[in-house]
């Protein structure tokens, strides 16, 4: 049996479609199309929901057409939440219309679950995934809208260990970048600047690092960057090198907190794997530090982070998550499926 799944993702400002083929446990990603609106929203300094929705409407069908390349899917997996309601509606209603026209099943995918399954794209455990000792896994999700630690005991089995009480890690990156004059979205700009910076120059806070739980808080770190920049500007010592040093110090502070809590969760729950997902996982300091710490402290635990292109929003991850639902015939009823902007994957 060969199964072809069309994935559709429109939860924020990326319109994406991907076509995934599964043949006896082997996956082949036939296409992965992402149309980003980042440049459009950069002029506003953040995503404007109405503008995002209008752009999704304009490009969703061409993007899907390109992904399918004239073929027809056996099932359609679509991000139904969480995200911006107006953006989600475009993807969900497009998926419903196509599923109705083609008479194929629909699968509602939680966006966070998509970020988790990005780990199954082009990975060694993509093949015969259920046989490798991946579970229990600790999942660290760090994106523009989410910072969560999840205990995953099996496919579709999630328990929330902790989350941010205020800003998400990516949101903190974007706000710090804006304070530093690096544009929007700022995560990758801070990453780039940090390469020529000294991570030990400015002692920034590591919020909640010793709280003994799996909760996070990032708004204080953003404020610390704001006050630091204001002070240095007043003292007229804010120059390109100082900016690079602030970036590197900031990046280190975020990575320290994320790594410490992830490792603690993995130890507590005897995890066989640590999976990472979300746009912030593209961060080079976070990846390097996690790798080094896992090797030193948890040498038998597998560590997986998606390929860079599957860290930020895409539909390949939605199609992959869709496969694991389709395998269990876990389909959504056509009339019942709607956009769920606050859909929580794990509680
Ligand atoms: O997962 P994603 O594409 O969208 C959401 O679901 O939110 O994540 C986007 C976030 C943005 O905040 C962006 O600044 C951040 O990921 N990001 C990074 C890097 N690349 C993207 N943060 C730190 N370092 C990076 N290299
Ligand atoms: Zn995302």
């Amino acid at each position: 049996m060969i199964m072809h799944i069309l994935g559709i993702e429109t939860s924020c400002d990326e319109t994406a479609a991907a076509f995934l083929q599964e043949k006896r446990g082997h996956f082949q990603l036939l296409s992965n199309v992402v149309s980003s609106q980042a440049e459009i929203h950069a002029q506003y300094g953040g995503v404007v929901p109405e503008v995002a929705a209008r752009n999704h409407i304009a490009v969703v069908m061409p993007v899907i057409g390109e992904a399918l390349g004239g073929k027809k899917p056996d099932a359609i997996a679509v991000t139904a939440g969480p995200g911006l309601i107006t953006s989600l509606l475009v993807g969900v209603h497009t998926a419903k219309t196509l599923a109705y026209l083609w008479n194929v099943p629909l699968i509602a995918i939680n966006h966070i679950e998509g970020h988790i399954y990005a780990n199954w794209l082009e990975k060694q455990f993509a093949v015969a995934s259920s046989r490798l000792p991946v579970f229990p896994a600790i999942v660290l999700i760090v994106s523009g809208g989410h910072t969560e630690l999840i205990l995953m005991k099996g496919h579709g089995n999630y328990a929330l260990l902790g989350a941010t009480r205020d800003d998400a890690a990516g949101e903190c990156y974007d706000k710090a970048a804006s304070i530093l004059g690096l544009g929007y979205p700022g995560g990758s700009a801070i990453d780039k600047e940090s390469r020529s910076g000294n991570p030990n120059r400015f002692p920034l806070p590591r919020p909640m690092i010793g709280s003994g739980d799996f909760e996070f808080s990032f708004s204080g770190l953003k404020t610390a960057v704001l006050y630091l920049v204001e002070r240095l500007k007043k003292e007229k010592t804010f120059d390109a090198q100082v900016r690079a040093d602030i970036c590197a110090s900031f990046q280190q502070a975020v990575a320290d907190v994320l790594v410490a809590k992830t490792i603690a969760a993995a130890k507590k729950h005897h995890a066989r794997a640590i999976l990472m997902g979300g746009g912030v996982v593209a961060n080079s300091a976070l990846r390097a530090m996690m790798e080094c710490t896992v090797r030193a402290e948890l040498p038998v635990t597998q560590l997986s982070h998606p390929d860079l292109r599957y860290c930020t929003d895409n539909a390949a991850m939605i199609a992959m998550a869709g496969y694991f639902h389709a395998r269990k015939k876990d389909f959504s009823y056509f009339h019942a499926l709607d956009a769920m902007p606050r859909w929580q994957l794990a509680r």
Side-chain angles (χ1 to χ4, degrees), residues 14 111 115 142-145 170-171 173-174 185-188 191 251 278-280 282-284 311-313:
E14 259 92 34
H111 183 78
H115 277 303
V142 268
S143 71
E171 191 179 353
Y173 258 97
D174 294 335
S188 59
D191 199 344
Q251 200 168 255
V280 181
N283 187 260
S284 54
C311 285
T312 45
D313 289 351

Side-chain angles (χ1 to χ4, degrees), residues 8-11 76-83 88 92 107-118 139 141 143 145-146 148 150 156 158 160 313-323 325 330 332 337-347:
I8 300 174
E9 155 66 42
T10 65
S11 67
I76 300 176
V78 61
T79 305
L88 289 165
V92 167
I107 309 160
I109 299 298
N110 182 294
H111 183 78
I112 301 301
E113 187 174 39
H115 277 303
I116 296 174
Y117 279 94
V139 184
I141 295 293
S143 71
H146 297 268
E148 290 173 8
I150 293 167
Y158 314 100
L160 184 66
D313 289 351
N314 65 85
M317 67 187 196
I318 303 302
M320 183 54 87
Y323 165 76
H325 284 267
D330 177 16
S332 297
L337 178 58
D338 207 347
M340 295 174 271
R342 295 187 179 278
W343 185 8
Q344 278 198 319
L345 179 65
R347 281 164 207 278

Side-chain angles (χ1 to χ4, degrees), residues 267-303:
K267 285 182 179 167
K268 180 174 177 187
H269 294 279
H270 308 287
R272 296 176 121 163
I274 292 173
L275 313 177
M276 299 163 81
V280 181
V281 177
N283 187 260
S284 54
L286 175 62
R287 290 165 92 102
M289 190 181 168
M290 190 71 87
E291 234 159 70
C292 169
T293 315
V294 169
R295 212 173 297 142
E297 295 193 32
L298 296 163
V300 294
T301 306
Q302 294 192 64
L303 173 65

Side-chain angles (χ1 to χ4, degrees), residues 110-323:
N110 182 294
H111 183 78
I112 301 301
E113 187 174 39
H115 277 303
I116 296 174
Y117 279 94
N119 285 284
W120 271 259
L121 289 159
E122 292 178 16
K123 275 282 142 77
Q124 72 277 20
F125 49 76
V127 178
S129 53
S130 49
R131 261 179 279 146
L132 274 156
V134 176
F135 303 120
I138 290 296
V139 184
L140 173 68
I141 295 293
V142 268
S143 71
H146 297 268
T147 302
E148 290 173 8
L149 272 169
I150 293 167
L151 172 63
M152 185 176 180
K153 288 190 181 162
H155 292 292
N157 183 340
Y158 314 100
L160 184 66
L161 300 178
T164 183
R165 295 181 173 178
D166 40 59
D167 293 356
E171 191 179 353
C172 185
Y173 258 97
D174 294 335
K175 286 176 178 169
S178 145
I179 293 165
L180 291 161
L182 290 169
Y184 173 88
S188 59
I190 289 186
D191 199 344
K192 225 174 276 164
E193 282 282 310
S194 298
R195 281 179 217 152
S196 49
N198 172 4
N200 301 314
R201 173 142 179 213
F202 296 105
L204 290 167
R206 270 76 175 150
M208 296 184 78
I209 197 163
S211 63
D213 56 19
F214 303 117
E215 301 287 302
F216 299 91
S217 165
F218 287 104
S219 73
L221 180 54
K222 161 199 71 191
T223 311
V225 171
L226 178 67
Y227 290 162
L228 176 63
V229 171
E230 279 178 354
R231 178 169 65 78
L232 295 171
K233 281 189 173 164
K234 215 178 278 167
E235 292 169 1
K236 300 205 178 347
T237 51
F238 185 82
D239 59 16
Q241 186 56 53
V242 166
R243 182 160 83 173
D245 292 342
I246 296 175
C247 284
S249 303
F250 168 81
Q251 200 168 255
Q252 191 60 47
V254 176
D256 278 353
V257 176
L258 295 176
V259 171
K261 299 238 170 182
T262 306
I263 298 287
K267 285 182 179 167
K268 180 174 177 187
H269 294 279
H270 308 287
R272 296 176 121 163
I274 292 173
L275 313 177
M276 299 163 81
V280 181
V281 177
N283 187 260
S284 54
L286 175 62
R287 290 165 92 102
M289 190 181 168
M290 190 71 87
E291 234 159 70
C292 169
T293 315
V294 169
R295 212 173 297 142
E297 295 193 32
L298 296 163
V300 294
T301 306
Q302 294 192 64
L303 173 65
S304 168
H305 34 63
D307 223 68
L308 280 183
R309 71 202 131 143
Y310 304 130
C311 285
T312 45
D313 289 351
N314 65 85
M317 67 187 196
I318 303 302
M320 183 54 87
Y323 165 76

Side-chain angles (χ1 to χ4, degrees), residues 49-63:
E50 300 309 318
V51 175
R54 252 178 264 140
N55 281 286
H56 282 310
I57 291 170
V59 303
V60 71
M61 281 317 295
V63 164

Side-chain angles (χ1 to χ4, degrees), residues 80-81 85 89 92-93 96 108 333-341 343:
I85 175 93
L89 280 169
V92 167
H93 285 273
K96 284 175 76 162
Y333 287 107
F334 182 86
H335 294 292
L337 178 58
D338 207 347
M340 295 174 271
W343 185 8

